[in-house]
Amino acid sequence: MSLKSVIPSLSDGIVASLSALPSEVLKQLNEIRLRKNMPLMLVFGKNSFFITPKGKLLNYCCDAVYIVSDEEFELVFRRLCNYSVHSVIDNLKKGFITGEGGNRIGVCSTAVIKEGDITSVKEVTSLNIRIADEVKDCARPLLNMLYINGFPSIIVASPPAGGKTTLLRDMARLLSSGFANRFRKVVIIDERNELACKGEQGICADIGINTDVLTGFPKSVGIETAIRTLSPDIIICDEISGEREVAAMADGFNSGVKFAVSVHASDKTELTHKAVVRRLISENEFDYAVMLNDYTNDFDIMEVSELRSEIFRNCSSELMLGCGGS
């Protein structure tokens, strides 16, 4: 779960450039972005940089920056697909590949559509390799506040790449490994293989000693399977977005299962306007919403009752505006 797992998929030229950077700098690398015949881009936190073939980082573009050739791009893409595009086509149709170590690769391509459905993709032009991160104990402050004397269901929110997956992974590790002197039965529904990071050698991430993982299952199916066969205390899943997933969680709540799930939202205002959040809290089973402000290091906790009141105020304002009110 690091840059090390990405290196075998990169070209010799890219590896040489990265290898020239200090190790402390490389540890902070979040994304490697490749585009055909365009500069190689590296992302550290919220900042994007160019790099020269000799490994010098630049915050401006010039003739000296590393340019990714067509041949180089195709080589990296084939390696990321393990030389079998067909084997990952279902994920490619959704715009991503999950690489070794749980690193997610965003893939830009042209959709092939037949009778209204995406049947394949072609003409891949961009790759965004996101480096999976494992930060031990990043979830401990949150658990100390919410799980010492209770066992709530929570919604975790942040912008993309804001630390949701990292936090949920560490929650699984801690809750299943004796947090507050309880070894909880944790099930991870890992549809995109980003939480547990299962590879050929097994699970790469440290997810705790009492955690079970359903890999590749659609979240709704995975939730139903976990409830039926694994008797979980808590189910953890990333990026809830669909009605079927919410309906599956309702069945889980009826069975006494708790949930920790994540959604995309850049701030509290966006969180209160998201349809899936309104649907989640309508079940009256979630206790808290956690808004990550600065990766996993800074967060705001809202009781769902507070969030529900905010949503009600927003809905009332929208209705008044729709009727010509002010």
Side-chain angles (χ1 to χ4, degrees):
M1 290 190 59
S2 65
L3 179 61
K4 183 178 179 180
S5 61
V6 174
I7 291 296
S9 298
L10 302 177
S11 67
D12 291 344
I14 294 175
V15 172
S17 293
L18 294 176
S19 298
L21 293 173
S23 59
E24 290 304 311
V25 173
L26 284 174
K27 288 179 182 178
Q28 301 174 52
L29 180 62
N30 302 122
E31 297 178 358
I32 304 172
R33 306 182 79 99
L34 295 82
R35 302 175 180 90
K36 285 187 175 182
N37 293 310
M38 296 291 285
L40 177 67
M41 302 293 296
L42 305 180
V43 179
F44 298 85
K46 297 180 180 180
N47 299 310
S48 297
F49 292 90
F50 303 94
I51 189 170
T52 69
K54 293 184 178 181
K56 181 180 179 181
L57 292 179
L58 302 173
N59 60 3
Y60 57 90
C61 188
C62 64
D63 292 341
V65 301
Y66 195 112
I67 302 296
V68 180
S69 69
D70 277 357
E71 296 78 10
E72 191 173 26
F73 183 94
E74 292 296 337
L75 172 64
V76 173
F77 176 61
R78 290 198 303 272
R79 286 177 172 176
L80 290 169
C81 295
N82 289 318
Y83 296 97
S84 176
V85 175
H86 176 75
S87 67
V88 294
I89 193 62
D90 287 342
N91 284 341
L92 284 173
K93 290 189 292 185
K94 300 174 186 177
F96 75 95
I97 309 167
T98 301
E100 286 297 317
N103 301 297
R104 187 198 291 184
I105 300 95
V107 181
C108 291
S109 60
T110 300
V112 178
I113 298 177
K114 184 177 181 180
E115 297 180 355
D117 295 322
I118 299 176
T119 59
S120 186
V121 298
K122 62 182 181 179
E123 300 167 355
V124 175
T125 56
S126 300
L127 299 171
N128 176 27
I129 303 172
R130 289 173 55 182
I131 310 300
D133 200 6
E134 191 170 41
V135 183
K136 296 290 182 68
D137 284 332
C138 69
R140 191 174 292 276
L142 178 65
L143 266 60
N144 285 339
M145 296 178 70
L146 299 182
Y147 287 83
I148 290 287
N149 298 312
F151 197 56
S153 290
I154 68 171
I155 302 167
V156 179
S158 84
K164 298 183 298 296
T165 303
T166 303
L167 182 75
L168 290 178
R169 184 187 299 116
D170 198 52
M171 279 187 64
R173 181 185 69 85
L174 291 168
L175 289 174
S176 76
S177 299
F179 182 82
N181 299 314
R182 293 287 300 275
F183 291 83
R184 301 286 188 176
K185 294 179 290 182
V186 177
V187 175
I188 292 175
I189 313 300
D190 207 0
E191 183 173 4
R192 296 183 176 181
N193 194 22
E194 293 182 304
L195 281 161
C197 308
K198 185 177 181 181
E200 293 182 0
Q201 305 302 317
I203 291 173
C204 300
D206 184 353
I207 54 171
I209 61 177
N210 198 22
T211 299
D212 300 303
V213 184
L214 293 169
T215 304
F217 284 73
K219 283 185 278 290
S220 58
V221 177
I223 291 168
E224 293 165 0
T225 301
I227 294 166
R228 188 172 60 250
T229 64
L230 296 172
S231 67
D233 292 322
I234 186 168
I235 293 175
I236 293 178
C237 45
D238 213 358
E239 297 182 11
I240 293 296
S241 59
E243 179 63 30
R244 291 186 62 187
E245 297 161 5
V246 178
M249 279 188 279
D251 291 339
F253 284 128
N254 289 335
S255 301
V257 179
K258 300 294 185 177
F259 285 86
V261 304
S262 73
V263 297
H264 285 311
S266 59
D267 53 34
K268 180 180 176 181
T269 300
E270 183 179 341
L271 183 65
T272 59
H273 282 84
K274 293 187 76 75
V276 68
V277 173
R278 297 184 181 190
R279 180 68 178 86
L280 284 170
I281 67 173
S282 71
E283 296 297 326
N284 295 315
E285 297 286 354
F286 281 96
D287 303 287
Y288 299 98
V290 180
M291 188 77 225
L292 302 183
N293 300 319
D294 181 17
Y295 199 57
T296 57
N297 300 316
D298 178 33
F299 53 83
D300 292 323
I301 297 175
M302 295 167 279
E303 292 188 8
V304 162
S305 58
E306 174 191 349
L307 192 63
R308 188 180 291 111
S309 296
E310 185 70 23
I311 289 172
F312 178 78
R313 284 193 293 270
N314 290 338
C315 289
S316 298
S317 297
E318 290 166 6
L319 285 172
M320 290 178 66
L321 289 171
C323 295
S326 58

